[in-house]
Amino acid sequence: KKDLIKTSNGKYVAPQRVENSLMANVPYLSQAVAIGEGHKYVVAIVALDPPNLFKWAERRDLEGLSYAELSQLPEIRRSLDRFIRKANSYLEPWERVQKYLILDRELSLDAEELTPSMKVRRDVVRGAFDSMILDLYEDPSIPFLDAPEAAKVDRRATKKRAAMAQRAQEPKDAELPDETETDTNSPEE
């Protein structure tokens, strides 16, 4: 069975391609799940690799913090932003991750988010983090990594709707000039 995401713009995205680009270019990741079915752009859920995360913390004198605390630090987000932009550079515009969620834990077998062979169960992950995924799409305070095609389309659509509303307010029949007015295009006699 082919695993493809169809965006609301009609583009097909292979989630494995997006996830492989993330895993190859973001050194702190242990897991990545691309999501975008029926949405204008792709988002990702990422989990960080504990040994790499703790080495990062050690180098910055942050040894006492837990995985959950470290994973949510602004410095981690800034670092991931940079690496995810690099990963995006290898993807087509419609495949690029526009927003992402950093989990405060790794995906687990116990929560049935992984198979015994450690493959991600996409449907279970989408269900488990559904409200957080919706926040990625609906919360304007979560910044985009890049100016997404979806946002460009929305701006064009907004301008188009505004122009349509303006036309709707204009009188339906343009007023014809009064017959007593002189025609400025005809030569004077």
Side-chain angles (χ1 to χ4, degrees), residues 107-173:
L107 299 176
S108 73
L109 265 168
D110 294 338
E112 298 182 4
E113 297 158 340
L114 301 173
T115 66
S117 62
M118 303 306 283
K119 292 181 182 172
V120 174
R121 290 185 166 147
R122 292 177 201 291
D123 292 337
V124 174
V125 170
R126 276 192 296 266
F129 300 102
D130 189 47
S131 66
M132 291 182 217
I133 293 166
L134 284 176
D135 285 346
L136 288 174
Y137 287 106
E138 296 173 357
D139 186 346
S141 71
I142 300 171
F144 285 100
L145 281 171
D146 301 305
E149 293 302 311
K152 292 176 188 171
V153 170
D154 283 349
R155 282 195 295 276
R156 276 188 252 137
T158 301
K159 287 179 183 176
K160 187 175 180 179
R161 278 193 293 273
M164 289 170 55
Q166 179 71 27
R167 282 195 297 272
Q169 291 177 354
E170 292 174 359
K172 300 255 187 258
D173 298 312

Side-chain angles (χ1 to χ4, degrees), residues 11-98:
K11 297 286 189 179
Y12 287 93
V13 176
Q16 299 87 350
R17 179 170 154 71
V18 175
E19 294 158 2
N20 289 342
S21 185
L22 291 172
M23 295 301 294
N25 292 286
V26 185
Y28 304 116
L29 292 190
S30 66
Q31 297 148 331
V33 182
I35 295 164
E37 184 68 37
H39 293 282
K40 290 183 181 180
Y41 51 87
V42 175
V43 299
I45 294 175
V46 299
L48 304 178
D49 180 51
N52 281 335
L53 183 61
F54 290 122
K55 280 181 196 172
W56 178 90
E58 224 176 274
R59 288 192 305 268
R60 286 158 183 79
D61 295 324
L62 300 170
E63 297 94 22
L65 297 177
S66 70
Y67 173 94
E69 293 167 322
L70 286 169
S71 68
Q72 303 307 308
L73 289 175
E75 299 88 23
I76 289 290
R77 178 161 284 280
R78 282 193 299 274
S79 181
L80 288 177
D81 284 354
R82 190 175 65 254
F83 285 117
I84 291 175
R85 282 190 185 98
K86 180 181 177 192
N88 278 344
S89 72
Y90 298 104
L91 299 169
E92 296 295 333
W94 60 88
E95 295 175 313
R96 294 180 182 150
V97 173
Q98 297 301 330

